Amino acid sequence: MSNQKKRNFQIEAFKHKVVVDPKYAEKTWKILEHAIHEIYNLNASGLSFEELYRNAYNMVLHKFGEKLYSGLVTTMTSHLIEISKSIEAAQGGLFLEELNRKWNDHNKAMQMIRDILMYMDRTYIPSTQKTPVHELGLNLWRDNIVHSPNIQTRLLTTLLDLIQRERSGEVINRGLMRNIIKLLMDLGPSVYQEDFEKHFLEVSAEFYKGESQKFINCCDCGDYLKEAERRLNEEFERVTHYLDTRSEVKITSVVEKEMIANHMPRLVHMENSGLVNMLLDDKYEDLKRMYNLFRRVSNGLLTIREVMTSHIRETGKQLVTDPEKSKDPVEFVQRLLDEKDKYDGIISSSFANDKTFQNALNSSFEYFLNLNPRSPEFISLFVDDKLRKGLKGVSEEDVEIILDKVMTLFRYLQEKDVFEKYYKQHLAKRLLSGKTVSDDAERSLIVKLKTECGYQFTCKLEGMFTDMKTSQDTMQGFYASHPELGGGPTLTVQVLTTGSWPTQPSVTCNLPAEMLALCEKFRSYYLGTHTGRRLSWQCNMGTADIKASFGKGQKHELNVSTYQMCVLMLFNKADRLSYKEIEQATEIPAPDLKRCLQSLACVKGKNVLRKEPMSKEIVEDDAFFVNDKFASKFYKVKIGTVVAQKESEPEKQETRQRVEEDRKPQIEAAIVRIMKSRKTLDHNNIIAEVTKQLQSRFLANPTEIKKRIESLIERDFLERDNTDRKLYRYLA
Amino acid sequence: MGIQRDRVKFNVGGRIFETTSTTLANAGRNSMFGAMFDGDWNFQSETENSGGTGTEYFIDRNPDCFSVLLDLLRTQELHLPPNIPEKLLYREASFYGLLDHVRSAKWGQFNGNRLRLSRSVAGQAPGDGTAIRAGPDGGCCVAHGSMVHVYDWMLEEHPPISLDFQRVNDVGWVDSENVVISVCERLGRGNGGMGLFSSSSGELRHRFQVNHDNQIKSFTAGALSFSQDYKIFSSCRGRSNEYGIGVWDQVSGKQVDFFYEPPGWSLGDADKLQWLNGNNCLLVATLFPRKDNCYISLVDFRERKMVWNWSDISAAITVDEKRVRDAIAMEESNSVCVVNEFEDLGFIDLRVNGGSVRWSSRSRLMKGKMPDEPCYPKLALHEGQLFSSMNDCISVFCAPDWVLTSRLRRSYGGSICDFSIGGDRLFALHSEENVFDIWETPPPPII
């Protein structure tokens, strides 16, 4: 008994852990699974959030996380398979709408499922490194819907078809498109790229290849570019409306390639409407469009630039080498300026002031301007013309503008020293004849030249101005010290420093006695105030105002040159003089005298002398009389000298020669400067360096440089290396 | 009536609470309340349907804790009555998804001059502690011998970590979920080295390898450092004189670089690595007594060279023999701060090579004798405050003149052998008794 009793009281060993209801997990999961079904069936209003949340919590807490998670995967997958069937069943246009609707439902369901499984999402999933609920939902959607074989291709073709329809002008439901594209993007960038973008770009390339072929065969260049621009904007707009912004670069580059890059040469050279025609016809809009479109593709701008450059060079070359057009230097330069203005305008308004285009323009001008060796002379003549008369009544700003433009042409000149020579001559004439319109304009141009080429370039020009100024003072001093001269003829002397002024052969002539006396007085006055100087008269540059009365008593004041004065004064003592007599009396050089007589006797309205026989040319046997019938409306009559405005052929040769002569010491100086710092240098490098140093003034000729080197070797400035004959040494 | 509509009534474990939806909104979307409030769950409409008197929302949880947490949502402050164990509160907060709220309310923003001892935790590990490292979210890990014990911010201990049971040299947090430990090579077996572990489960996730001439070699990993561009640096000693600094990518786990130490210099058995973000350089310090001399250098991995270095090889040994025991770079003042065994601070200019140590005049002579088991000073830097441990206390110095402003002392546990600052907490590991202390800044005052 007792034993039995004892046995009864024996406590059983505690063999099992306390186990919750074995069906607990299953039951709880059933509740949650039901809830997920209800959520997908849009029937969630009857669910108690608190209960579901607590159940999910408990499952994780009781180590049923794995069951919960795998259950979720299975349930969600089965729903997605249902969904994919209903999407597949959607007819035609309803397909995308159904897809969109189901996607929205799925998103909402995912959110709600995540809400009730929040505890699992936060604790169980990170510690087991599983996919979080939201991401899991996206992955399952991707695998079961977007990558389902019946949907994948249909989705792609539907999307591409819609885009194709929009491209051909139909209106499509952009909102729906945006939602579907957003769906693909939400599934991750790779889904969007692989399942849509890649194909989209391929189809687009195909489309634009066809488009461009179609248009290029029936449109002119301008219209084609308009079309390309429109298409580009259209694609840009498409991206902003419903594609991923990162697609913009890709799709525009497709359009750029198919519409522009592949057809560039054809577009640029298109007959009657290509780039050259646009330039000729000033089609700013078209040019701008071409620039903006071509800029997008590699080598696009290069193509435009090359065509533009060769066009400018070609037209420029025609301009400067056409002998007809270089007859009138002013017209010639004006044409160049107009051409420059035109292209400046095009570059600023159509080519966005692109530096590379400006450089191309500059190099083109430099190229053709220097094709004509007379360009420096012409530019100087143009300035001369402007400063003589062209600037009358023009405001200061406009003067500046014209001078600045001339300076741009000047910059293109390679032979700046030739320009300097001519400019000096022309300036001298302007100054001595007092014909310069505006001192300010003259000085402003000198300043410009100075900033461009340095002090050395303009010091002589400035010296000329100083001479003019000091001469004025000298004359005042002269008359102040000789008050007795008030009644007689007035003498104005300009004392010119030799070297500053263009060298002229010092030609004297026999001045009339009255003048000669006056000149002597001035000479003694001047040499009295300045010791150690020499004065020699340059009659060929002077002018005179003389009073004359003619047969019927008409009185005139004649403005003539010094030579002309000498001639006319002879007629105070004689009525008739032969050419020979005049030549003897005045000793004016024959060509000058002929020109002087021509202007006195042969110019209509200014013929104060009469010539026998009447003819245009002056011959040695001619005789001259005072023209008693001379009449003029004006009291003052200006008698010009018949001068060839342009240089005559021999004069030109002479100027050239002088320029060449002047270059020699400059080249030598440059060689010595370079060798002094380098000590030894080989031939090619010397040539290169010298050319570079002298670039701002002229383009040195290599053979000339070589000659200068030889000359320097002769004079022991340099020597050749004993072993390497191409090497020079500097001898200090 | 507008007020009425905002009101929410809960029945939590039988007790009725009333609050407002505005208060509950403070919980954020990523909490149970956030989910309840979402339009999908028809929370609002049900309240309205009930005509303002309000349906109760039943929650089957502990009402006492709910009241604490509701107060937390109302005031952003945490006040725990003595009758509620902390762990219970954490459990409830975890249910509602409010753990982060609790953590951020529990202690304030770190300030070395306002620290209070929050807790001391005793462990069971045998032997001396090697290192303690604060995690980014307030947890820590402690290395003893071949084991690393991981504690989360609630000071709950997680499964301990070990790599082939080899002696641990250093520990570091990659992020709050991942810990890297560096251990000695297992002689003859080719194991040891470095491993990445899950801080919560303790499982090994990745083992780092070193390649020399395309051959995987076993190695002993020493000091660790991490850069913001996701790199891991470790001093490495290979079997056949392959000494230097190894560099790995945090994302792929692959070795991306190896900087061999130059002859006559020491990098491979460094005591300390410190990544300098502004200079894009790594500070490597090998110190006495590991070596007979001290070597401190900055390595630039882009230029593959040492761009700055300092050593006491040539310095004359003085009578009081001040030897550098720890070093830390201070990028703002372009200098390296060093400390000797008497807790004198010294500074070396980073802008010139070959400069000397400028010892601070605030030198204190050791009062009394050294403790039986001396612990050498260690340095740490946190937002313009410099921390230095010596025996059983930690001194706080403030920039720019490094004036001593506070001293943290606790007599229990013996000398401090290592300490670490992170997650707005300071952890100090004692050499005896196997205890570490947690120092926190209290939440800001009410006004």
Side-chain angles (χ1 to χ4, degrees):
Chain A
M1 267 306 270
S2 63
N3 274 350
Q4 272 181 343
K5 262 185 184 173
K6 267 177 191 170
R7 242 174 247 153
N8 280 347
F9 278 111
Q10 203 168 25
I11 297 166
E12 265 189 66
F14 187 70
K15 286 176 190 162
H16 305 286
K17 282 204 276 183
V18 181
V19 180
V20 285
D21 178 0
K23 285 185 181 155
Y24 164 78
E26 199 50 45
K27 272 197 223 155
T28 318
W29 167 241
K30 281 284 167 243
I31 296 169
L32 289 167
E33 191 186 24
H34 171 75
I36 294 173
H37 286 312
E38 293 294 273
I39 288 169
Y40 268 109
N41 294 336
L42 307 179
N43 198 16
S45 55
L47 299 173
S48 158
F49 173 75
E50 191 273 337
E51 184 194 344
L52 296 169
Y53 186 95
R54 178 159 39 86
N55 281 325
Y57 170 84
N58 284 332
M59 276 190 84
V60 175
L61 203 66
H62 294 116
K63 307 274 180 264
F64 294 113
E66 176 57 38
K67 186 181 173 60
L68 182 59
Y69 190 83
S70 60
L72 170 69
V73 174
T74 322
T75 316
M76 214 184 240
T77 309
S78 76
H79 273 283
L80 287 172
I81 289 169
E82 286 304 311
I83 288 174
S84 82
K85 279 180 192 148
S86 94
I87 295 171
E88 281 165 32
Q91 293 300 309
L94 294 175
F95 171 69
L96 285 188
E97 288 188 26
E98 180 68 7
L99 179 65
N100 186 35
R101 201 164 56 79
K102 290 292 182 195
W103 166 246
N104 287 337
D105 290 350
H106 177 63
N107 262 322
K108 193 172 168 186
M110 266 193 318
Q111 181 62 55
M112 291 177 79
I113 293 168
R114 201 255 156 181
D115 282 346
I116 55 177
L117 301 183
M118 189 183 277
Y119 188 78
M120 176 185 83
D121 213 20
R122 197 173 16 234
T123 57
Y124 175 75
I125 285 175
S127 66
T128 49
Q129 294 189 298
K130 286 188 174 357
T131 316
V133 175
H134 185 78
E135 215 181 313
L136 177 75
L138 294 179
N139 290 349
L140 291 176
W141 175 273
R142 179 192 65 204
D143 298 341
N144 291 299
I145 311 284
V146 174
H147 286 172
S148 122
N150 292 332
I151 293 178
Q152 196 168 19
T153 35
R154 191 172 164 196
L155 174 61
L156 179 66
T157 47
T158 313
L159 291 175
L160 295 178
D161 181 54
L162 281 171
I163 291 175
Q164 174 61 31
R165 272 157 61 186
E166 194 182 40
R167 276 186 183 137
S168 51
E170 280 183 48
V171 176
I172 63 163
N173 185 346
R174 282 184 163 180
L176 184 60
M177 277 300 268
R178 184 172 56 237
N179 290 345
I180 301 295
I181 296 291
K182 173 109 179 5
L183 179 161
L184 295 174
M185 278 155 61
D186 284 348
L187 296 179
S190 69
V191 175
Y192 171 76
Q193 281 159 14
E194 286 300 308
D195 289 271
F196 171 72
E197 194 186 47
K198 199 174 74 183
H199 308 279
F200 166 65
L201 295 175
E202 278 166 16
V203 168
S204 302
E206 203 52 46
F207 173 76
Y208 283 114
K209 187 177 269 172
E211 278 292 282
S212 64
Q213 278 306 335
K214 200 170 81 191
F215 274 101
I216 204 154
N217 287 329
C218 63
C219 287
D220 69 7
C221 182
D223 289 343
Y224 182 90
L225 292 177
K226 265 180 212 152
E227 179 66 17
E229 190 182 52
R230 185 177 74 82
R231 285 299 192 182
L232 212 51
N233 288 338
E234 214 177 88
E235 291 304 325
F236 174 73
E237 208 187 327
R238 184 178 339 280
V239 171
T240 51
H241 275 295
Y242 56 77
L243 298 185
D244 184 3
T245 46
R246 276 165 295 190
S247 297
E248 188 193 320
V249 185
K250 299 179 193 169
I251 181 64
T252 48
S253 81
V254 164
V255 183
E256 283 155 11
K257 178 169 173 286
E258 296 297 339
M259 296 282 288
I260 301 164
N262 287 351
H263 301 286
M264 264 195 309
R266 189 163 167 194
L267 284 170
V268 166
H269 297 294
M270 199 177 260
E271 223 165 297
N272 297 328
S273 65
L275 176 59
V276 170
N277 293 78
M278 289 181 187
L279 292 172
L280 285 175
D281 302 342
D282 291 328
K283 293 205 163 156
Y284 289 104
E285 281 297 309
D286 287 347
L287 286 168
K288 188 173 186 170
R289 191 169 293 121
M290 182 180 264
Y291 176 84
N292 285 332
L293 290 172
F294 278 42
R295 189 176 51 175
R296 311 177 71 106
V297 301
S298 67
N299 285 334
L301 292 187
L302 190 72
T303 313
I304 298 186
R305 214 156 51 226
E306 274 170 0
V307 173
M308 183 188 87
T309 308
S310 69
H311 172 68
I312 298 176
R313 286 185 181 209
E314 202 44 53
T315 48
K317 195 172 166 184
Q318 279 171 16
L319 198 70
V320 298
T321 51
D322 186 352
E324 273 306 304
K325 285 181 176 144
S326 51
K327 266 187 180 157
D328 181 356
V330 178
E331 182 72 21
F332 175 87
V333 175
Q334 191 57 53
R335 264 179 219 279
L336 290 180
L337 287 177
D338 291 348
E339 194 75 357
K340 178 78 173 32
D341 277 350
K342 174 188 166 95
Y343 284 102
D344 278 342
I346 288 175
I347 288 175
S348 76
S349 61
S350 300
F351 297 157
N353 268 327
D354 192 318
K355 271 273 176 296
T356 57
F357 277 74
Q358 285 171 352
N359 292 343
L361 176 66
N362 290 341
S363 79
S364 308
F365 264 78
E366 195 175 326
Y367 162 78
F368 70 72
L369 189 61
N370 288 299
L371 284 179
N372 188 339
R374 305 191 64 182
S375 293
E377 183 192 347
F378 287 175
I379 293 174
S380 177
L381 279 171
F382 178 81
V383 176
D384 188 52
D385 179 70
K386 288 291 166 211
L387 291 174
R388 266 173 199 275
K389 55 191 179 205
L391 293 177
K392 260 182 208 157
V394 179
S395 76
E396 223 166 276
E397 291 90 67
D398 291 345
V399 172
E400 281 295 304
I401 290 170
I402 291 174
L403 294 183
D404 278 334
K405 281 182 182 170
V406 173
M407 285 308 293
T408 58
L409 286 186
F410 168 75
R411 261 175 229 134
Y412 299 138
L413 287 178
Q414 278 164 358
E415 297 184 305
K416 297 200 170 60
D417 56 342
V418 177
F419 174 85
E420 187 195 357
K421 273 270 159 350
Y422 283 109
Y423 189 77
K424 212 153 108 180
Q425 274 177 26
H426 296 142
L427 176 64
K429 275 186 197 157
R430 282 202 300 278
L431 288 176
L432 294 177
S433 59
K435 273 175 184 158
T436 175
V437 174
S438 151
D439 222 33
D440 288 342
E442 290 279 5
R443 287 193 180 275
S444 134
L445 191 66
I446 300 273
V447 169
K448 286 185 206 306
L449 287 170
K450 196 172 181 174
T451 46
E452 199 66 34
C453 300
Y455 168 75
Q456 187 201 6
F457 194 90
T458 57
C459 65
K460 287 180 180 170
L461 301 178
E462 284 178 80
M464 292 162 78
F465 280 98
T466 331
D467 281 351
M468 296 305 290
K469 182 86 180 62
T470 39
S471 296
Q472 250 179 27
D473 299 344
T474 313
M475 286 324 291
Q476 273 177 8
F478 172 62
Y479 279 106
S481 65
H482 292 82
E484 77 279 5
L485 292 175
T490 315
L491 175 73
T492 311
V493 180
Q494 262 114 24
V495 183
L496 312 181
T497 315
T498 319
S500 291
W501 296 73
T503 39
Q504 301 258 352
S506 169
V507 267
T508 47
C509 67
N510 290 338
L511 290 170
E514 307 91 307
M515 294 312 297
L516 207 56
L518 206 51
C519 287
E520 274 314 309
K521 273 191 181 144
F522 176 77
R523 181 196 288 277
S524 54
Y525 165 78
Y526 186 80
L527 293 181
T529 46
H530 301 83
T531 49
R533 297 204 182 173
R534 250 185 56 203
L535 282 180
S536 58
W537 299 101
Q538 291 266 350
C539 299
N540 51 340
M541 306 292 282
T543 58
D545 290 329
I546 51 176
K547 290 189 176 130
S549 42
F550 292 89
K552 290 172 193 159
Q554 65 272 52
K555 285 191 178 359
H556 287 285
E557 195 176 301
L558 304 178
N559 177 267
V560 294
S561 73
T562 309
Y563 284 157
Q564 287 166 339
M565 174 196 76
C566 294
V567 173
L568 289 177
M569 293 287 271
L570 294 177
F571 286 90
N572 277 341
K573 293 172 190 139
D575 287 336
R576 177 189 184 278
L577 286 168
S578 71
Y579 175 81
K580 282 277 176 208
E581 286 166 327
I582 295 175
E583 191 179 21
Q584 245 169 11
T586 58
E587 286 181 13
I588 298 170
D592 289 330
L593 180 60
K594 277 185 182 170
R595 242 192 284 165
C596 151
L597 286 170
Q598 216 173 4
S599 46
L600 286 170
C602 305
V603 180
K604 216 183 156 203
K606 309 253 168 104
N607 47 343
V608 292
L609 293 184
R610 190 159 53 78
K611 183 170 86 84
E612 269 180 10
M614 295 279 278
S615 69
K616 282 279 172 199
E617 292 304 311
I618 307 290
V619 213
E620 305 237 329
D621 308 329
D622 286 347
F624 297 90
F625 310 85
V626 174
N627 182 9
D628 288 330
K629 288 169 195 152
F630 176 77
S632 174
K633 286 188 276 185
F634 306 103
Y635 172 67
K636 279 192 179 181
V637 179
K638 183 179 178 338
I639 301 193
T641 312
V642 179
V643 212
Q645 212 187 8
K646 279 194 297 180
E647 285 191 311
S648 61
E649 203 52 41
E651 271 179 315
K652 214 164 71 188
Q653 291 298 336
E654 200 192 316
T655 315
R656 189 96 320 246
Q657 222 170 6
R658 270 212 309 271
V659 167
E660 293 294 339
E661 252 347 282
D662 281 1
R663 278 181 187 180
K664 285 179 186 169
Q666 291 192 40
I667 296 175
E668 284 183 359
I671 296 172
V672 171
R673 264 200 305 276
I674 291 161
M675 289 308 290
K676 199 169 178 179
S677 62
R678 297 296 184 86
K679 301 301 178 204
T680 57
L681 207 63
D682 68 284
H683 183 74
N684 288 343
N685 272 322
I686 264 203
I687 302 274
E689 290 252 354
V690 170
T691 318
K692 205 176 143 211
Q693 270 206 7
L694 295 172
Q695 217 165 28
S696 68
R697 295 183 52 75
F698 58 89
L699 202 64
N701 186 350
T703 36
E704 186 58 36
I705 300 175
K706 203 176 171 205
K707 274 190 203 160
R708 287 305 103 211
I709 294 174
E710 302 286 353
S711 152
L712 286 169
I713 290 173
E714 269 170 39
R715 282 179 282 158
D716 285 339
F717 280 96
L718 307 177
E719 64 170 8
R720 281 185 200 278
D721 193 277
N722 286 331
T723 50
D724 186 354
R725 303 297 287 167
K726 273 192 175 286
L727 213 60
Y728 302 109
R729 280 178 198 292
Y730 179 69
L731 297 173
Chain B
M1 285 310 279
I3 303 158
Q4 280 288 325
R5 218 171 300 147
D6 194 34
R7 255 162 60 180
V8 181
K9 196 184 272 183
F10 283 110
N11 177 341
V12 181
R15 211 188 309 164
I16 305 294
F17 293 89
E18 274 196 71
T19 182
T20 59
S21 51
T22 340
T23 299
L24 291 174
N26 289 336
R29 180 64 182 83
N30 208 0
S31 68
M32 179 185 168
F33 301 120
M36 283 177 94
F37 262 76
D38 201 84
D40 290 339
W41 292 103
N42 299 322
F43 185 84
Q44 218 89 28
S45 60
E46 274 182 48
T47 323
E48 276 157 31
N49 287 346
S50 59
T53 51
T55 323
E56 289 172 5
Y57 280 88
F58 179 73
I59 303 179
D60 185 13
R61 302 302 297 187
N62 180 315
D64 293 339
C65 287
F66 186 85
S67 127
V68 174
L69 292 171
L70 192 57
D71 244 16
L72 173 66
L73 291 179
R74 285 172 178 145
T75 62
Q76 314 287 337
E77 282 176 31
L78 184 68
H79 296 285
L80 193 61
N83 63 333
I84 301 178
E86 260 186 35
K87 188 164 175 173
L88 178 63
L89 182 81
Y90 295 150
R91 164 64 68 206
E92 291 302 299
S94 167
F95 173 81
Y96 297 111
L98 295 173
L99 261 185
D100 289 340
H101 289 73
V102 172
R103 182 168 60 96
S104 57
K106 194 160 161 33
W107 64 88
Q109 200 186 359
F110 190 83
N111 179 350
N113 293 320
R114 282 189 68 221
L115 291 176
R116 296 283 174 273
L117 180 68
S118 151
R119 256 182 86 177
S120 289
V121 176
Q124 300 82 37
D128 291 350
T130 309
I132 188 161
R133 294 287 177 263
D137 66 350
C140 76
C141 51
V142 190
H144 281 92
S146 60
M147 295 294 279
V148 175
H149 297 272
V150 183
Y151 298 84
D152 61 27
W153 67 266
M154 295 170 267
L155 301 172
E156 295 283 320
E157 189 175 351
H158 287 256
I161 295 170
S162 160
L163 190 60
D164 307 323
F165 296 103
Q166 293 306 299
R167 193 185 149 68
V168 178
N169 291 319
D170 200 359
V171 192
W173 292 81
V174 175
D175 51 48
S176 58
E177 260 299 302
N178 295 289
V179 167
V180 174
I181 71 172
S182 61
V183 304
C184 291
E185 181 188 0
R186 191 177 182 191
L187 288 169
R189 306 277 180 80
N191 274 327
M194 257 166 77
L196 177 81
F197 292 84
S198 157
S199 63
S200 54
S201 68
E203 62 179 316
L204 176 64
R205 284 185 173 163
H206 182 74
R207 191 188 279 270
F208 296 93
Q209 289 175 326
V210 165
N211 272 291
H212 294 291
D213 304 324
N214 291 322
Q215 279 192 312
I216 295 171
K217 298 281 184 77
S218 65
F219 65 105
T220 289
L224 291 166
S225 184
F226 305 87
S227 71
Q228 287 181 350
D229 58 348
Y230 304 107
K231 294 214 175 72
I232 303 175
F233 302 89
S234 173
S235 57
C236 298
R237 276 177 286 159
R239 190 81 56 77
S240 33
N241 281 334
E242 294 127 340
Y243 281 38
I245 305 290
V247 187
W248 291 267
D249 186 90
Q250 285 181 17
V251 181
S252 67
K254 296 275 182 294
Q255 185 192 346
V256 291
D257 202 352
F258 197 93
F259 187 86
Y260 293 93
E261 68 179 34
W265 201 258
S266 177
L267 296 175
D269 35 25
D271 291 272
K272 180 162 195 161
L273 302 187
Q274 183 191 357
W275 176 255
L276 307 182
N277 213 33
N279 292 317
N280 230 318
C281 288
L282 185 74
L283 174 117
V284 186
T286 313
L287 304 163
F288 184 81
R290 191 185 294 266
K291 287 265 179 174
D292 289 342
N293 289 100
C294 300
Y295 305 87
I296 305 176
S297 44
L298 287 194
V299 179
D300 188 330
F301 287 89
R302 294 165 304 176
E303 293 179 34
R304 306 203 51 76
K305 66 173 190 186
M306 288 189 341
V307 291
W308 180 91
N309 59 68
W310 174 90
S311 165
D312 64 356
I313 293 177
S314 51
I317 291 169
T318 48
V319 187
D320 56 344
E321 208 194 353
K322 290 176 177 171
R323 303 303 297 264
V324 170
R325 299 298 180 135
D326 197 10
I328 190 163
M330 303 189 295
E331 289 194 86
E332 275 109 62
S333 52
N334 277 310
S335 58
V336 173
C337 176
V338 295
V339 65
N340 68 7
E341 60 267 48
F342 306 112
E343 214 196 349
D344 293 326
L345 296 181
F347 299 89
I348 318 174
D349 197 334
L350 265 179
R351 287 164 298 191
V352 286
N353 251 316
S356 58
V357 181
R358 190 165 41 81
W359 289 104
S360 153
S361 57
R362 187 203 42 82
S363 177
R364 287 174 289 114
L365 287 169
M366 290 296 293
K367 283 180 196 135
K369 57 179 192 232
M370 293 283 269
D372 300 336
E373 267 187 82
C375 281
Y376 295 117
K378 298 241 170 151
L379 295 171
L381 193 65
H382 188 272
E383 288 177 3
Q385 293 179 329
L386 182 68
F387 298 79
S388 152
S389 67
M390 182 69 188
N391 294 335
D392 62 348
C393 78
I394 294 175
S395 309
V396 185
F397 304 90
C398 282
D401 300 320
W402 310 115
V403 179
L404 178 66
T405 51
S406 295
R407 185 161 289 167
L408 317 175
R409 185 195 293 268
R410 193 179 157 275
S411 55
Y412 172 60
S415 299
I416 294 168
C417 62
D418 195 15
F419 72 100
S420 172
I421 300 167
D424 287 323
R425 275 173 158 176
L426 185 149
F427 296 89
L429 178 64
H430 295 269
S431 66
E432 298 158 34
E433 311 294 338
N434 204 346
V435 169
F436 66 89
D437 307 326
I438 300 100
W439 296 78
E440 293 167 355
T441 306
I446 291 164
I447 299 168

